[in-house]
Amino acid sequence: MPFSTEELLYALFHFPIAITSPFVSWYFFQLSGGDFIGSGLIIAIPYIFLIFSTGIFGRLSDIVGSKNLVLTSLVFLSISFLCYYIIHENVLLFFLAYIGFNLIFSAFIPAFNRLVSFYSVEERAEKFGRLGMMASAGFLIGSIAASLFINSRETYRNMFLVAAFTAFLALLIAFKLKELKKDSLNTPYSLSKITTIISKPNNAINPTIRPILLVLTLFMLSQISNSVFISYFAIFIENELKENVNLVAIVNSIATLLGVFATYFVGKIMNIYRKKPLVLLALGLYAFIPLLTYLINNTVFILTIYCVPIYAIFFVLIPVFISENSPESRRGQAMGFYSSFQYFGLATGTLSGGFLASINGVIRPNLLFGACVGFFAILLGVLLFKEPIKETNFSA
C-alpha cells in the first residue's frame, strides 16, 4: 500500500521527536543532580509555553495556511538539533534552546491536523488512523536508534545530527503538500492584521463546538493521569527498579510497534462504532493501567504494561471529532486548542509528579494519584459526554 506525502512526512517528523522526548527527563535529571522538583520544572516549563503557542499557531493556520506553518516549523526543527549538538554541555543554553525551539515548531501538529481535516468525511477517519500508524512507525525507529546510543551523554549526542538530517529530509518532502482549503487565504494580511484577528473577542471559539471543550477536558485529564508517572519513567527504571535505562527505549519501541496497528485499526472502525464507548475505553486505559502498575510491583509486569499503546484511540478520535464539530473557518483554531489542552495536561501532571516524588522520595506512589485522576475522568465521561448527531459543515 503506497504512502501519501502526508503519511511519509508524519513519520519523518516523529523520528527526531522520538530521539529526544522519552529521554528528556533522564537527561535533565542527570544535569540537575537528582533533583525531582527541579527536573519536573525543567520538563514542564516547555509544556507551559506550548499551551499558548499551539493555540495561537492553530488560529494562525486558518489565516496563512497550514503548509506555510508546517514548512516553518520543520526549518526550526532541523536547526534545533544542530544547536543541541553544539551546545549540549552548556546546561543553561541547552535549556533555553529547548524551550525556544519547542515553542516554534509546536506549530506543526495543529497546522498539519487542520490540513488533513479537510479530507472528505468518508476518508478522514481512516486518514488520521494511517497518520497514527506512520507516527508510531517513525517513533518506533527513533526509539530503536536512541536505544543504541543512550549509554552516555557523549554517545547520545551523535543522535542530534541524525535527527537534524531527518528533519531536513521532512522539510524537503513538505514542499509537496497541497492545501485542501484555501478560502481563508484569499486576502493578504499584515502582521498587525493577523495579531488583531487572533486576539479580538469575536474570534472566540464558536458556541456550536462547545462539545469539543468537553472532549478536550477529558483528554487533558488523561494526559495528567499519564504524565504524573510517565514523565519520570526513565528515572524510575534506573533509580528504583535498578535496571538499565536502555530498557525505556526498548519498551518504547514495542509500544510504538503495537501503536502502528492500533491506530490503523481505530481509524478503520471510527466511522462504524459510536464515539462514547471509545472515549470511555480510552479513559479506562488511562485509569486502570497506572492502578495495576501500582498494585503489581513486578519489573516484568511494569515493562509489559508500559508497552500498551494507550494513546491510540484519542490520537485518531479527537481530530476526527474536531473535524466533525468545528466550523471550517475555525478548524485550525480548534486543532490548536487540542494541542493546548494536551500540553496543559502534560505540564500539570509533570509538575504534580515532581512534587509528589520529592515528598515521597520515590516515584512509584505517583501511579496511585494518576489512577485517581483517570477514574475521575471516567466519571465525567459517563455523566457528561453526549454522542454527536452528525457532522457540521458550515463556516463561522
Side-chain angles (χ1 to χ4, degrees):
M1 188 181 300
F3 300 123
S4 67
T5 299
E6 293 92 346
E7 292 163 1
L8 183 58
L9 174 59
Y10 216 54
L12 289 174
F13 173 78
H14 281 85
F15 174 87
I17 299 300
I19 289 175
T20 51
S21 60
F23 309 106
V24 168
S25 63
W26 169 80
Y27 182 87
F28 282 127
F29 186 73
Q30 289 189 338
L31 294 182
S32 64
D35 180 5
F36 285 114
I37 294 180
S39 181
L41 287 172
I42 289 171
I43 301 166
I45 286 175
Y47 291 153
I48 295 172
F49 280 96
L50 293 175
I51 293 170
F52 304 100
S53 67
T54 50
I56 294 172
F57 282 131
R59 180 57 181 146
L60 191 59
S61 69
D62 287 325
I63 302 168
V64 302
S66 297
K67 182 176 179 178
N68 293 329
L69 284 188
V70 167
L71 291 172
T72 301
S73 62
L74 290 174
V75 167
F76 282 94
L77 184 65
S78 304
I79 295 173
S80 68
F81 287 104
L82 291 176
C83 288
Y84 298 157
Y85 180 81
I86 295 171
I87 65 174
H88 82 295
E89 285 298 335
N90 188 311
V91 178
L92 179 60
L93 283 180
F94 191 99
F95 176 52
L96 294 176
Y98 184 77
I99 293 175
F101 283 120
N102 273 271
L103 185 67
I104 298 173
F105 63 71
S106 66
F108 182 92
I109 295 297
F112 195 87
N113 281 341
R114 174 190 175 274
L115 185 147
V116 177
S117 74
F118 290 109
Y119 273 84
S120 67
V121 179
E122 294 76 16
E123 296 178 286
R124 188 186 297 141
E126 183 172 352
K127 187 67 176 179
F128 277 113
R130 286 176 61 86
L131 286 174
M133 175 185 72
M134 296 303 292
S136 296
F139 210 93
L140 168 65
I141 299 172
S143 296
I144 293 174
S147 69
L148 301 176
F149 292 92
I150 199 175
N151 293 319
S152 68
R153 291 212 307 269
E154 289 69 28
T155 57
Y156 183 58
R157 179 191 181 199
N158 296 324
M159 293 306 300
F160 294 144
L161 290 180
V162 178
F165 174 79
T166 307
F168 181 73
L169 182 60
L171 173 63
L172 296 180
I173 293 175
F175 282 100
K176 297 177 63 178
L177 287 176
K178 295 180 180 179
E179 289 277 1
L180 300 178
K181 180 71 175 176
K182 297 186 179 181
D183 292 352
S184 60
L185 309 180
N186 293 333
T187 305
Y189 290 98
S190 65
L191 180 60
S192 61
K193 180 69 172 176
I194 290 174
T195 303
T196 302
I197 289 175
I198 291 175
S199 60
K200 67 182 183 179
N202 63 3
N203 272 326
I205 193 165
N206 193 292
T208 57
I209 56 173
R210 284 175 182 165
I212 292 176
L213 294 178
L214 173 60
V215 172
L216 293 182
T217 299
L218 297 175
F219 175 63
M220 177 191 70
L221 291 172
S222 74
Q223 299 305 289
I224 294 174
S225 171
N226 196 45
S227 60
V228 162
F229 174 70
I230 293 301
S231 293
Y232 305 94
F233 189 68
I235 303 171
F236 176 77
I237 290 294
E238 189 171 66
N239 285 34
E240 294 180 31
L241 295 185
K242 306 303 180 182
E243 302 287 350
N244 194 302
V245 73
N246 291 68
L247 285 175
V248 178
I250 295 173
V251 294
N252 266 333
S253 300
I254 297 172
T256 49
L257 178 61
L258 295 175
V260 170
F261 302 101
T263 49
Y264 181 79
F265 178 73
V266 171
K268 282 289 188 180
I269 69 172
M270 189 61 64
N271 288 329
I272 302 174
Y273 291 93
R274 295 169 59 243
K275 290 184 173 58
K276 185 165 185 174
L278 291 174
V279 169
L280 295 179
L281 175 59
L283 294 174
L285 292 173
Y286 281 102
F288 281 100
I289 284 183
L291 178 62
L292 291 175
T293 306
Y294 176 79
L295 295 175
I296 305 175
N297 189 23
N298 176 274
T299 300
V300 175
F301 178 82
I302 290 172
L303 293 175
T304 301
I305 204 168
Y306 178 82
C307 295
V308 178
I310 60 177
Y311 63 89
I313 295 176
F314 276 145
F315 190 99
V316 181
L317 185 145
I318 292 182
V320 170
F321 190 88
I322 289 174
S323 301
E324 292 174 350
N325 293 276
S326 61
E328 291 183 352
S329 62
R330 302 284 175 80
R331 191 68 54 78
Q333 183 182 29
M335 293 298 182
F337 278 127
Y338 168 29
S339 296
S340 296
F341 273 69
Q342 178 182 20
Y343 288 120
F344 184 85
L346 291 172
T348 303
T350 300
L351 287 172
S352 301
F355 281 106
L356 287 172
S358 180
I359 292 171
N360 295 306
V362 290
I363 295 170
R364 186 170 171 269
N366 289 17
L367 288 159
L368 190 58
F369 178 79
C372 292
V373 175
F375 283 111
F376 175 69
I378 293 176
L379 179 62
L380 289 182
V382 170
L383 295 177
L384 302 179
F385 184 84
K386 296 181 180 179
E387 197 72 24
I389 298 174
K390 63 179 180 178
E391 170 156 341
T392 305
N393 247 339
F394 57 85
S395 296

